[in-house]
Amino acid sequence: PKSAARWRKIHILVGYFLIAAFVLHSDFSLPDTAFEWALWAGFVLVALSGIFGTYLAWALQARHGIDDGIGYERIPARRAELARDAQAAVAKTDPAAAAIALPAPPHDAWIMDLYISRLRRFFQGQRNSIAHLIGSQRPAKRLLDEIDNLSRYVDPPSQEKLAVVRNLVVEKDRLDFARVHLGLTRAWLFVHVPVTYALVVLTVLHILVVHAFSSRPW
């Protein structure tokens, strides 16, 4: 929603402002007491986790978001469906040729070889997590290039089969991307939110301590 996106932008801007204010307030020096170290460590952890959360939001936007119909819990089931569809597409044969027991054309053997050597493992589980984390699409592009290269040397029915497989590879790659970033977003919340609440408490205590010492008669 636009309201959520607007709030997120304001939240990020305020966060960057607070980082600058914290650096100036600490006078570019390290803490002296245990309480100051706790306050300093809490703010650094909140700031770093906030920057990481900003990167996650940017990565999702760069990849045009995630399909809202696919939730985190739904991803493994959808991945299994894609694996079955890919296997069925590769194993599909011409009914007319099968009826008269004609030998399979070599194109089918080439496609099956590509499936066994490269595609089957790709569809069986989560793949390229590190690449998705850093925003690299090279592993998926290499796989798609192999499909496109083979498509140049096969007959039209085999090209249609490879086109179906190619679309399944693209969707599977998007699922792997969603799995990585939705999982990180969930884990990130368990760090950023609790530490933020703890930092608020420490900040209030810090203000009370400073006020108590500043108003103490000497």
Side-chain angles (χ1 to χ4, degrees):
K2 292 183 178 180
S3 58
R6 189 181 305 111
W7 177 88
R8 184 176 63 190
K9 290 180 180 179
I10 295 174
H11 182 79
I12 292 173
L13 291 176
V14 172
Y16 286 139
F17 171 77
L18 289 178
I19 291 176
F22 179 82
V23 172
L24 293 175
H25 179 69
S26 61
D27 197 21
F28 298 92
S29 61
L30 293 177
D32 296 323
T33 65
F35 179 77
E36 290 180 352
W37 271 108
L39 188 62
W40 184 89
F43 186 87
V44 169
L45 186 57
V46 169
L48 292 178
S49 62
I51 294 173
F52 182 69
T54 304
Y55 166 75
L56 289 179
W58 170 83
L60 291 177
Q61 185 177 7
R63 288 288 295 269
H64 306 292
I66 293 176
D67 186 4
D68 294 335
I70 300 296
Y72 184 80
E73 294 79 7
R74 168 67 178 156
I75 290 178
R78 180 55 185 159
R79 180 191 296 147
E81 294 174 1
L82 293 178
R84 290 192 297 267
D85 292 343
Q87 184 177 9
V90 170
K92 185 179 180 181
T93 58
D94 187 357
I100 57 178
L102 289 177
H107 304 158
D108 290 343
W110 297 346
I111 296 175
M112 182 58 69
D113 180 68
L114 176 63
Y115 173 77
I116 294 175
S117 62
R118 300 283 284 122
L119 296 175
R120 181 165 59 185
R121 182 178 180 277
F122 174 77
F123 281 103
Q124 283 177 346
Q126 177 73 27
R127 297 290 178 261
N128 307 323
S129 296
I130 300 300
H132 288 305
L133 180 60
I134 63 177
S136 174
Q137 298 182 4
R138 289 183 179 179
K141 187 178 185 302
R142 284 198 298 265
L143 192 56
L144 294 175
D145 287 343
E146 291 187 39
I147 297 174
D148 294 338
N149 291 335
L150 180 59
S151 182
R152 299 191 185 102
Y153 301 101
V154 298
D155 55 7
S158 298
Q159 290 177 354
E160 295 178 2
K161 182 186 297 187
L162 287 174
V164 173
V165 174
R166 192 184 194 281
N167 292 334
L168 294 174
V169 169
V170 171
E171 184 174 355
K172 168 61 166 51
D173 184 67
R174 287 181 61 86
L175 280 182
D176 291 342
F177 172 82
R179 177 83 174 186
V180 169
H181 282 265
L182 289 178
L184 284 175
T185 300
R186 286 187 166 198
W188 168 76
L189 287 175
F190 284 105
V191 175
H192 189 68
V193 175
V195 177
T196 299
Y197 282 117
L199 182 62
V200 170
V201 174
L202 291 176
T203 302
V204 172
L205 291 177
H206 176 66
I207 294 173
L208 293 177
V209 170
V210 171
H211 178 71
F213 272 91
S214 62
S215 59
R216 181 179 178 180
W218 296 97

